[in-house]
Amino acid sequence: MNCREQAKKIYELCVSRANATKKTMTYGEVLNALGYEKKVSGHAIRHGLELVLIACADSGLPDLT
């Protein structure tokens, strides 16, 4: 999955969790939801998270990262 696809999935996950439970997700929960193994570092989603941050800022949405 490229970083744009990853960013879209991260955004959808975070919004879904926030709407359902009013809670945030940990990096580990995001990694797990994206199918990464438990030993994978949070750096694996760094570029996706950066794109989410930029998109939220550009759109005037709350930061999700």
Side-chain angles (χ1 to χ4, degrees):
M1 138 180 24
N2 67 39
C3 60
R4 286 183 182 200
E5 294 167 338
Q6 189 183 67
K8 183 178 181 202
K9 288 183 180 188
I10 291 169
Y11 180 81
E12 291 169 350
L13 286 167
C14 290
V15 169
S16 177
R17 170 69 68 91
N19 285 333
T21 67
K22 306 293 185 226
K23 294 183 180 181
T24 58
M25 297 180 78
T26 66
Y27 291 127
E29 290 171 331
V30 173
L31 287 164
N32 186 45
L34 293 176
Y36 288 94
E37 294 183 21
K38 291 188 183 235
K39 295 180 181 181
V40 173
S41 165
H43 292 287
I45 57 174
R46 187 185 103 205
H47 296 291
L49 288 170
E50 287 176 3
L51 290 177
V52 171
L53 177 66
I54 292 166
C56 288
D58 284 348
S59 301
L61 298 170
D63 294 340
L64 291 178
T65 53

